[in-house]
Amino acid sequence: MKHASAAAPGQAAASFEKALTALWRRTYSTLGDITVSAILNRVLHEASGKYAILDSVKLDANGIDFTEFQDRAASAGGRELKEATEFVLVE
């Protein structure tokens, strides 16, 4: 995400989706769905308190749903989007 500040919001959102999906897949096979879901729910809950845009990332039975996030990211400020996505990936 180092270049996210220079990227358009749509590109930054796509990069975030790709990174979080990769983390999900890698940890899911090791930790299982209950543990990974609990961790991601906690991270998203904490992050949403700081960055409202992250409230639009949803976790369901199929994994992570970025549909609403992508829509909201298109109108988000680049700095807020960068800080929000970095917070989730580091947390």
Side-chain angles (χ1 to χ4, degrees):
M1 297 298 300
K2 190 173 190 173
H3 302 286
S5 61
Q11 272 184 303
S15 293
F16 173 65
E17 179 177 349
K18 186 176 178 179
L20 195 56
T21 300
L23 282 170
W24 173 270
R25 286 187 185 136
R26 290 180 183 150
T27 57
Y28 183 89
S29 63
T30 303
L31 301 174
D33 63 336
I34 295 172
T35 303
V36 176
S37 295
I39 292 169
L40 186 56
N41 274 323
R42 184 197 61 81
V43 169
L44 289 174
H45 177 75
E46 293 293 320
S48 295
K50 249 184 138 162
Y51 303 101
I53 190 169
L54 293 172
D55 190 40
S56 61
V57 178
K58 304 295 182 195
L59 189 57
D60 61 27
N62 298 320
I64 309 167
D65 181 2
F66 293 95
T67 307
E68 186 181 339
F69 174 76
Q70 292 166 344
D71 293 340
R72 289 179 63 184
S75 61
R79 180 181 202 107
E80 177 192 7
L81 185 59
K82 178 182 180 291
E83 289 176 3
T85 56
E86 285 179 355
F87 183 86
V88 169
L89 294 174
V90 170
E91 185 70 17

